[in-house]
Amino acid sequence: MKSTLAAIRFGTGLSPDHAPPAGAAAILADLDGPDTAAATFAIVPWSARMATIQDFGRRRRERRDGDAQMEAFRVVNRRLSDGYHRDLMQTLRRAATAPVGFRDRLAWFWAGHFAVADGAGHLRRSVGSYHDGAIRPNVSGRFADLLRAAVTHPAMLAYLDQSRSIGPNSPRGRRGGGVNENLAREVLELHTLGVDGGYDQTDVRQLSELLTGLGIDRNGKTTFRASFVEPGSETVMGRAYGGDTPNRHDIAEVLEDLSVHPATARHLSRKLAVHFIADVPPADMVEAMAATWARTGGMLRAVYATMLDHPAAWDPELRKARKPLDMVAAALRATGSAGRLSDQPMKFVRDNLTSPLERMGQPWLRPPGPDGWPEEAAAWITPQGLAARLDWITDFVGWLDPVPDPRAFVDTALGPLAGPRTRFAADAAEDRAAGVGLILASPNFQRR
Amino acid sequence: MAGLNRRDVLTMLGCSAAAWPLTTPMAFAALPSDNRLVVVVLRGAMDGMDALRPYGDPHLATLRPDFALGPQSGATDLTGFHALHPGLGPLLPLWRAGDLGFVQAVSTPYRSGRSHFDGQDILEAGTAGDVPPLRGRDGWLNRLLPLIPGAHGRTAFAVGRDEMLILRGPANHASWAPDARLDLAPATADLLLHSYHDDTLFRESAETALGLSGSVAQVAGKRGQELFAFAAGQLMQDARIAALSLGGWDSHRQQERQLQRGFTALSAGLLRLRDDLGPVWDKTMVVVMTEFGRTAFQNGTQGTDHGTGGTMILAGGALRGGKVWGDWPGLAEVQLLDRRDLMPTRDVRAYAAWALHGLFGTGHAALSSVVFPGLDMGPDPGLMA
């Protein structure tokens, strides 16, 4: 039972191709190894995406000039949209074929924590590159590094309006414009301290002034614009940063301090436990994780180890619902069918993965706001959301060739978690496809 | 479980697929009003000057030389000044019966750009023109719900797959996409409910989903009709508000063909709603809104670009229709906004607010602060029949 829980609660599920990790040590060992999945199923880097987006802008301006121009615009538009679906395909292939999948789960968790939504401008079909470049490589190191990578990434600067923020007393500000507090507020409220973290409006304002130098250059890279920086030092949570000379290091410094603040340790330990374990996690688990956070200066791997060390991590009761992306990955994995994605046109991905995920309530790369996806099962298992899952499962089983025997598949997909009602349903189904569908639809599979 | 079929299961639940959910007289009695509201959001900026063509304005023919305009190009005259788009022609009987009306030269307070996304967000959030915050944004229909005494989780339905910000928010509401298939064989559905038996969340969601999926006969072919049919089905039971959206209005090119399709679908949907509602149609108001209007002049590709002032369409037996509301600002160049757009003469939210006041008795203070912050409702346009 413990290895099954390890696979489904902390990894991307059971697989006919990989033995489940025996426990905490195996989960962490997998995280310590190289990220071979990312190398095998590569995602286009941010810089290349920005070049395409620049091209897109130029072609769009010229598209009414003639048929050739319109065609050129369509080509680049298609390239962006294909890339969006390809990112999903690669993400699912990674998760479906990884030995454990803890890294994938962490990448999704932190991508939700540092949420950025697909949009226009720099965010046109590019957010997958932000996840891959800023989030995924930093999920097991120091939280300070993850925080800095996410908060200063051009995707975040674009999403939370930082690139429009101008210190009113800066050389640039004397010609107009003002501070935009959006990023500073979310850094304090969402990314670090939490809403009860003891900051006030003055801290938000001071941090926003400290962040005024952060902007996006013409190549879509983060830049430090000294002429936008509000002069003078700013005090955030009781400590003064910066002075009259603009210095990008001031920003790194305040993020460093916020990353190890006790409120941050509590807030994020709890959020991790809520995500992986239960909507109301045991208080002593959260305390132990926060203590590890304090002791190690926010070493994420150590915090995860503390979570895995707590008995509640291995409670067989499945309290959480798999989110749609997680569920789809687990279904591909359990059926060993990720290979089906290898030579498909993007239309197949769109029709069979991207669109269904949207119907299930988790549109790819489009979280509802900077606070990411909801955690509680009731937010996902609504009549509409569940119907979309069931419709997808019906279609998905139709891809499988051959359709596995439900009597064996119930063990492959669920192991000891298969309850008597699920086993009965799988046995009694009128054909193999219905049986496999019922196994995938069962609470034993939909929960973790 | 052996021997129990799906019908038995549904009977045990106290319902049948044809009559779901079980509605009680209590549910009706708890509401102060028996009236119904349907809000249709047209996404993409519907060209209001094509829906309701102000052919009586001498400048229109100059601004739109290639477009079909008034009666001389086959459109039906409504007022001697306005002609109806032929795609809306099937609604003429409604106009004659006083069940159809228009509000001209209205817009949301959005002026800072002509972005579909910001425009729709502002329309649905009901704000005074500011783009609602990314986080914690809610819609004006959601803020209305707590003001309706006795409102519950099924008083308002978001219908369809499109995200409906207009209903998003803390007040509990229902949502359903009627094109969810849920085409499980009866035996499979039985087994599904069997496997969900001990998990309340899954069981209740599945029961509701199976009930809802059987509640509308599939409408083949006609875009959007199933949304109206599903809305009607819910409004016949204990729902009082339905919100849905139709896309495809962003007519930069070949507008004639595109809007013919769009208005034909809208007309079919409204007629379907009327037919399905039967006597309840007389208690119903339909409010059709879009994020902004389009340029007064045609562009170089037989279309129009993003503008400001537009047209609101009102329908329903609860409407005192057969008329066009709103002041006409004129189409001379100096009368246009930024020399390109129809100048709005009134906030579209004012008409929505008067509709809510008429349908649900919601007070002015709440309407102009909670539902539509910063709104000046202005004089009563007399929408109610």
Side-chain angles (χ1 to χ4, degrees), chain A residues 64 74 159-160 186 189-190 359 368-371 377-378 381-384 386-387 390-391 394-395 421 424-425 428-430 434 438 441-443 446-447, chain B residues 1-2 134-135 160-161 168 175-177 180-185 187-188 191-192 194-199 201-202 205-206 208-209 212 252-253 301 305:
Chain A
R64 300 235 173 100
R74 291 216 178 99
Y159 184 50
L160 295 179
E186 304 302 25
E189 179 178 335
L190 296 178
R359 287 180 215 139
D371 46 349
I381 309 303
T382 62
Q384 189 172 0
L386 181 59
L390 297 172
D391 279 350
T394 305
D395 289 342
R421 286 180 174 274
F424 173 84
E430 61 185 11
L438 285 163
S442 71
Q446 296 290 322
R447 288 188 176 275
Chain B
M1 190 72 188
L134 282 170
R135 200 147 52 86
R161 298 225 178 275
R168 191 157 119 188
S175 58
W176 181 251
R181 304 190 319 266
L182 224 56
D183 45 2
L184 305 179
T188 305
L191 290 169
L192 184 78
H194 174 78
S195 85
Y196 286 180
H197 183 274
D198 299 336
D199 191 315
L201 179 65
F202 278 81
S205 293
T208 305
L212 289 171
H252 290 285
R253 289 195 300 141
T301 51
D305 297 319

Side-chain angles (χ1 to χ4, degrees), chain A residues 419-445:
Chain A
R421 286 180 174 274
T422 303
R423 285 188 184 277
F424 173 84
D427 279 352
E430 61 185 11
D431 56 27
R432 283 175 182 231
V436 170
L438 285 163
I439 292 162
L440 295 174
S442 71
N444 311 130
F445 189 82

Side-chain angles (χ1 to χ4, degrees), chain B residues 8-369:
Chain B
D8 293 334
V9 173
L10 289 169
T11 307
M12 269 167 26
L13 297 167
C15 63
S16 73
W20 176 281
L22 189 68
T23 50
T24 64
M26 278 253 302
F28 289 104
L31 284 165
S33 164
D34 205 20
N35 289 330
R36 271 65 163 187
L37 170 68
V38 179
V39 179
V40 181
V41 176
L42 303 183
R43 297 187 191 280
M46 180 270 284
D47 183 18
M49 282 172 49
D50 207 353
L52 181 72
R53 300 165 173 176
Y55 75 92
D57 190 303
H59 298 285
L60 185 65
T62 320
L63 291 166
R64 299 182 164 199
D66 299 327
F67 281 27
L69 302 174
Q72 67 279 13
S73 58
T76 304
D77 176 55
L78 293 184
T79 64
F81 185 86
H82 307 91
L84 189 65
H85 191 286
L88 295 171
L91 302 182
L92 262 177
L94 268 58
W95 169 266
R96 296 195 181 114
D99 290 357
L100 177 71
F102 299 87
V103 189
Q104 64 186 2
V106 279
S107 77
T108 71
Y110 176 48
R111 293 291 181 279
S112 54
R114 292 176 177 88
S115 149
H116 292 301
F117 310 120
D118 290 348
Q120 288 169 32
D121 286 350
I122 287 166
L123 172 70
E124 295 182 75
T127 65
D130 37 327
V131 178
L134 282 170
R135 200 147 52 86
R137 50 172 59 177
D138 53 13
W140 56 266
L141 279 180
N142 194 277
R143 295 194 299 273
L144 170 73
L145 288 178
L147 304 171
I148 299 181
H152 52 82
R154 299 176 66 85
T155 297
F157 249 93
V159 183
R161 298 225 178 275
D162 292 347
E163 195 200 336
M164 298 300 291
L165 168 61
I166 198 168
L167 255 175
R168 191 157 119 188
N172 203 3
H173 66 278
S175 58
W176 181 251
D179 58 338
R181 304 190 319 266
L182 224 56
D183 45 2
L184 305 179
T188 305
D190 292 346
L191 290 169
L192 184 78
L193 291 177
H194 174 78
S195 85
Y196 286 180
H197 183 274
D198 299 336
D199 191 315
T200 311
L201 179 65
F202 278 81
R203 188 184 69 236
E204 290 181 350
S205 293
E207 287 166 355
T208 305
L210 286 167
L212 289 171
S213 72
S215 67
V216 185
Q218 287 296 316
V219 186
K222 292 273 167 59
R223 182 168 67 118
Q225 272 212 56
E226 73 281 5
L227 303 180
F228 288 92
F230 179 83
Q234 295 307 316
L235 293 168
M236 293 293 282
Q237 300 174 49
D238 57 352
R240 290 295 171 270
I241 296 171
L244 58 94
S245 66
L246 297 177
W249 301 93
D250 195 17
S251 51
H252 290 285
R253 289 195 300 141
Q254 304 300 330
Q255 172 161 316
E256 184 175 1
R257 210 169 13 159
Q258 183 173 349
L259 291 197
Q260 179 68 32
R261 265 201 313 272
F263 286 129
T264 301
L266 177 63
S267 299
L270 291 173
L271 292 176
R272 174 74 196 246
L273 188 71
R274 181 198 60 178
D275 293 347
D276 285 9
L277 285 175
V280 173
W281 173 255
D282 284 340
K283 301 170 182 169
T284 301
M285 176 122 48
V286 187
V287 173
V288 184
M289 309 167 91
T290 192
E291 64 262 33
F292 40 71
R294 306 189 71 87
T295 47
F297 44 78
Q298 67 181 65
N299 64 18
T301 51
Q302 304 293 313
T304 50
D305 297 319
H306 300 183
T308 307
T311 301
M312 179 186 213
I313 304 175
L314 300 170
L319 178 77
R320 186 193 293 172
K323 66 176 285 188
V324 175
W325 283 271
D327 296 329
W328 182 247
L331 292 175
E333 189 176 347
V334 293
Q335 293 167 319
L336 298 177
L337 176 67
D338 299 339
R339 296 181 156 193
R340 52 176 278 157
D341 302 343
L342 182 66
M343 178 70 77
T345 55
R346 197 162 172 190
D347 191 331
V348 72
R349 301 179 303 160
Y351 288 91
W354 281 106
L356 299 181
H357 176 70
L359 292 168
F360 303 117
T362 316
H364 290 61
L367 285 169
S368 55
S369 59

